[in-house]
Amino acid sequence: MRIERGLSWVWAYVRGAPGTHLWLAVLFATTVALHSMPPEFGENFLRHRSTNLHELSRNPVRVLVASAMWIESGHWLPYAFLFTVFHAPAERWLGTARWLAVCALAHVLASLASEALLLAAIRTGRAPLTAVDTLDIGVSYALAGVIAVLGHRIAVPWRYGYLAAVFAVFTLPLAAGPTFTDAGHLLAALTGLACRPLVAGRGKARNPKETPVAPRG
């Protein structure tokens, strides 16, 4: 009976966040495919699906979508953990459509803004021309946006501590040695925080001391 209850809870949890788990399934399949490729071929393959300046100038919609379906590091398990901790609760709270809107806004705006900064650096001689082909792929911008929007789910005053920790994580790399990807992560987090209108009507902020209600099947 306990096993059946456990499986029922897991199924209810997965069913409550279908977008998260479908995305994870796609990432698992693409990660397996990436591991089957020779390293040099795999890098070139990802480069054609990267939101770098060269590919964005040719087919921006294709690469903005494709870049979110691959993991550059080739390590799926850490993202499975992060998706479970952040994406799944956000989707259950916001609903799939609003959660997807946060993901899309954070991913697209951060990708375009970080590449615009890179373009400016190339034009002013602060970055080499070869940077137009820089590999920029993965799901981290969408994840940063979702991590930040979850701050609106937490009641005051705990919200302030959570957001302070979130923005410390995304700001410290900029102070240590900034890259355009680091700037993209901070912009993605700010985008998620700015998605406050999307949380309207999704229930009151939750006190961390309260026991969460188990998902129903």
Side-chain angles (χ1 to χ4, degrees), residues 19-213:
T20 295
H21 295 96
L22 178 59
W23 196 0
L24 267 178
V26 171
L27 290 174
F28 179 79
T30 56
T31 299
V32 170
L34 185 62
H35 280 293
S36 70
M37 301 176 188
E40 186 175 345
F41 176 85
E43 183 176 349
N44 187 56
F45 180 87
L46 289 180
R47 202 173 302 280
H48 287 293
R49 287 151 183 81
S50 169
T51 51
N52 56 49
L53 289 168
H54 179 70
E55 295 297 334
L56 280 172
S57 68
R58 298 176 61 187
N59 197 331
V61 175
R62 179 183 67 80
V63 294
L64 282 168
V65 174
S67 64
M69 300 301 152
W70 297 84
I71 300 172
E72 182 184 350
S73 67
H75 300 298
W76 180 81
L77 281 177
Y79 284 96
F81 172 77
L82 292 171
F83 271 49
T84 301
V85 172
F86 296 108
H87 275 299
E91 185 179 2
R92 291 184 63 85
W93 168 45
L94 293 173
T96 299
R98 296 189 190 198
W99 161 79
L100 187 59
V102 175
C103 292
L105 285 169
H107 175 67
V108 172
L109 293 179
S111 295
L112 296 179
S114 61
E115 291 302 318
L117 290 173
L118 179 57
L119 178 60
I122 292 172
R123 288 178 172 174
T124 57
R126 291 182 292 115
L129 184 58
T130 54
V132 298
D133 285 318
T134 300
L135 189 61
D136 187 10
I137 201 164
V139 299
S140 58
Y141 290 160
L143 181 61
V146 165
I147 289 173
V149 80
L150 278 171
H152 296 302
R153 181 59 165 158
I154 303 172
V156 173
W158 293 274
R159 179 184 302 167
Y160 303 134
Y162 174 83
L163 290 176
V166 168
F167 283 99
V169 167
F170 293 119
T171 302
L172 288 177
L174 289 171
T179 67
F180 297 102
T181 301
D182 293 332
H185 286 141
L186 180 58
L187 289 167
L190 290 171
T191 299
L193 188 64
C195 286
R196 182 176 176 81
L198 290 175
V199 313
R202 304 311 296 179
K204 67 176 184 178
R206 178 169 294 171
N207 187 327
K209 293 183 178 181
E210 295 177 356
T211 302
V213 178

